[in-house]
Amino acid sequence: MTDALTPEALLDMAADAATRAYVPYSSFRVGAVVVDEDGNTYCGANVENAAFPATICAEANAITTAVAAGVRRIDTVAVDCLDGDLCTPCGNCRQIMREFGVGIVILRNADGTAGPVTLEDLLPMSFGPDALH
Ligand code: THU
């Protein structure tokens, strides 16, 4: 990670992405930023749907955007929300992170500082692609 991509800078990028969330049902705006092995970044926001289960989380949006651009290994994902104190990734998004080798998830603490945690902490004893190879 280069100096420009500090945890706080990544959270600010996630917060900026969250301003573009489409959330007519929850009004809960979430943004996420993926950092790949080369330090490239990919942003996503949550996109809701009148058929609620069709909603796309911010993390899934950012990760699938990165993968569609050719990324296969992801080091870090930063997540921020604008309408609540702490947004921890949902279970489905933790599993999507697992697929692409995410190591660190950066969340924003209540005091505004960055709080990095490991994906292993968020998703212990996980099932991943290595199990099928
Ligand atoms: N949401 C995310 O985007 N990421 C998460 O990890 C948790 C939840 C979104 C989905 C929905 O649009 C809104 O937050 C409320 O659940």
Side-chain angles (χ1 to χ4, degrees):
M1 197 181 294
T2 67
D3 286 347
L5 296 179
T6 62
E8 289 75 16
L10 291 170
L11 284 175
D12 288 346
M13 291 173 68
D16 181 63
T19 66
R20 296 183 290 279
Y22 174 75
V23 289
Y25 307 106
S26 74
S27 298
F28 190 79
R29 295 168 292 174
V30 185
V33 177
V34 161
V35 186
D36 74 9
E37 289 180 304
D38 301 319
N40 299 308
T41 57
Y42 304 85
C43 295
N46 51 334
V47 178
E48 297 185 342
N49 193 285
F52 293 172
T55 290
I56 301 166
C57 284
E59 300 91 322
N61 192 341
I63 291 169
T64 56
T65 296
V67 172
V71 172
R72 291 295 180 268
R73 292 285 301 177
I74 295 171
D75 290 338
T76 302
V77 179
V79 185
D80 201 9
C81 61
L82 304 181
D83 307 298
D85 287 340
L86 176 64
C87 186
T88 62
C90 75
N92 195 55
C93 286
R94 294 176 195 203
Q95 186 64 36
I96 293 170
M97 291 177 188
R98 175 69 172 84
E99 185 71 19
F100 299 103
V102 171
I104 300 295
V105 181
I106 300 169
L107 307 175
R108 188 165 329 251
N109 296 318
D111 66 2
T113 60
V117 295
T118 66
L119 184 62
E120 174 66 22
D121 281 340
L122 295 176
L123 193 69
M125 296 182 70
S126 62
F127 185 83
D130 42 307
L132 301 179
H133 296 152

